[in-house]
Amino acid sequence: MRIAVLSYSHHGRGIAGTVKEMGHEVVAAMDPEPGPRAQLEQEFDCPGFAAAASCLDAVKPDAAIVCGKHVEIPGHVAACVERRVPYLLDKPFADCADRLRPAAQATMAAGLPHALTLPNRGSLLVEKVAQMAADGSLGDLVLYSSRLNNGPPTRYDPTPSHWLNKPALSGGGSWVVESSHGIDTFLQFAGGGPVTVVGGVLANLMHRREVEDTAVGIVRTAAGVTGIIESGFNYPSGTRAGDHFFRFVGSKASVFERYGDHGEPLIEVHTSGGVAITPDIGHGERMRRVIEWGLQAIEAGRIGDPDVMQAVRVLEVQDAVYDHLRASTAAAGPYSLGAPPAR
């Protein structure tokens, strides 16, 4: 397929590179900033544009990769919908649900093929838990927890993703950047219905920046399933990719994902009969799988699973946690946090 990449960051350049490796052609690049745009033009040997609409109008691609500043992504999606260009949408999707919802609803009303790039969906862990949920061996889910703790916010400063450290553009820090992964997996297995925020914390004690470097959201469903979702920017720079962990506690079994001695992800299934340990695949392979699945759906003229309304649901939970914690002086800080963009 002929693909246009709409914005260098947060992951646009990387996803475009993966798409090219898969045999697709990157025919155009869009970024509002001249520097990142020039990098994309050079790397993919394609024309560059400063706006999504002009990019799509000029090259008429088969599909688009939608990334960029969180406040701008919904506009890129809207440009795709207006021109009926299928798209791959990267997280965090937007800075808040209200900004994405109109473009998401327009996507669904048009039946426009699209997919989300949520790498947890490509993990063997999620496949295993889905299998156990389906065959009854997990039992009823009682508790879910996940931790996604990456390197410090300074890693963004010298890159085209520097705006992630500016709440007026990103919406916040580690919670807006990383929590979508844990929230999506919680929603995938906790069932439908409303989710209530019961606690958590936003902290910037580690790096003392205006974005949070530690975030924990504690939520519950109407059926009583508890989710503890942590995201952070506190892992030591230059070592492993980060500190990542999952726990699914069911009435018949518990499933954990931990690291081995060499940083390899391991799936542990704990039952009354013992413990079974199997390897998982790494982040790069997970991301490649979900990109491939998304492109396959688009090529077949289908809407991927999950669809863009799942992105809205993820953002709704993300927003609810922010609203709950920002309103509490005991839960946020201790240093001043920057204000997010107006909704």
Side-chain angles (χ1 to χ4, degrees):
M1 287 193 295
R2 300 170 64 254
I3 309 290
V5 54
L6 304 184
S7 194
Y8 182 110
S9 65
H10 177 34
H11 293 134
R13 173 180 172 271
I15 295 173
T18 300
V19 164
K20 184 177 179 180
E21 290 173 0
M22 291 177 174
H24 301 279
E25 182 184 5
V26 179
V27 296
M30 185 286 298
D31 197 284
E33 298 183 24
R37 184 166 68 247
Q39 290 185 50
L40 291 172
E41 291 172 359
Q42 181 176 8
E43 180 164 351
F44 297 105
D45 190 22
C46 67
F49 301 84
S54 58
C55 176
L56 300 177
D57 288 340
V59 300
K60 296 179 171 53
D62 299 317
I65 299 165
V66 178
C67 300
K69 295 182 178 67
H70 305 165
V71 293
E72 296 173 351
I73 286 176
H76 303 341
V77 173
C80 289
V81 176
E82 290 166 4
R83 291 156 181 80
R84 299 300 188 265
V85 175
Y87 62 86
L88 280 179
L89 177 60
D90 188 46
K91 68 89 191 175
F93 315 123
D95 67 298
C96 66
D98 288 347
R99 210 176 303 278
L100 180 63
R101 190 176 292 105
Q105 292 173 338
T107 296
M108 300 306 291
L112 185 66
H114 67 281
L116 309 182
T117 57
L118 286 164
N120 283 2
R121 299 274 180 152
S123 68
L124 302 186
L125 169 73
V126 165
E127 286 186 1
K128 181 65 176 178
V129 175
Q131 172 197 327
M132 293 177 67
D135 66 23
S137 58
L138 181 68
D140 296 324
L141 183 65
V142 174
L143 171 67
Y144 163 84
S145 63
S146 65
R147 179 175 65 248
L148 201 168
N149 181 31
N150 287 336
T154 51
R155 74 188 190 276
Y156 294 125
D157 290 339
T159 76
S161 296
H162 58 85
W163 54 269
L164 286 167
N165 288 326
K166 300 174 182 177
L169 295 175
S170 65
S174 63
W175 186 252
V176 75
V177 175
E178 305 293 7
S179 70
S180 53
H181 298 297
I183 294 171
D184 172 61
T185 305
F186 173 73
L187 294 175
Q188 182 179 356
F189 292 104
V195 174
T196 301
V197 182
V198 296
V201 66
L202 297 175
N204 58 351
L205 181 62
M206 181 78 162
H207 300 290
R208 304 185 182 188
R209 312 262 310 229
E210 63 175 350
V211 294
E212 72 275 0
D213 49 50
T214 299
V216 180
I218 305 174
V219 297
R220 294 191 77 189
T221 68
V225 182
T226 300
I228 305 172
I229 300 155
E230 178 183 348
S231 62
F233 289 158
N234 294 327
Y235 191 73
S237 182
T239 51
R240 294 177 180 170
D243 164 30
H244 308 149
F245 172 78
F246 290 90
R247 179 171 59 161
F248 300 81
V249 178
S251 57
K252 295 182 180 179
S254 292
V255 184
F256 308 145
E257 179 149 296
R258 308 178 185 271
Y259 288 117
D261 291 343
H262 303 289
E264 71 278 20
L266 299 174
I267 303 167
E268 298 184 1
V269 178
H270 295 243
T271 67
S272 57
V275 179
I277 301 176
T278 56
D280 201 345
I281 57 177
H283 174 80
E285 189 173 350
R286 297 176 191 185
M287 192 69 172
R288 187 178 181 89
R289 292 182 90 194
V290 297
I291 291 170
E292 184 174 16
W293 296 340
L295 292 177
Q296 288 173 349
I298 287 171
E299 286 184 299
R302 295 186 288 104
I303 292 175
D305 180 23
D307 59 41
V308 69
M309 294 310 298
Q310 174 71 355
V312 173
R313 288 187 285 271
V314 167
L315 289 169
E316 287 172 343
V317 175
Q318 177 184 292
D319 294 347
V321 170
Y322 263 140
D323 291 345
H324 183 87
L325 299 181
R326 282 173 171 153
S328 169
T329 55
Y335 301 96
S336 178
L337 291 166
R343 297 185 187 175

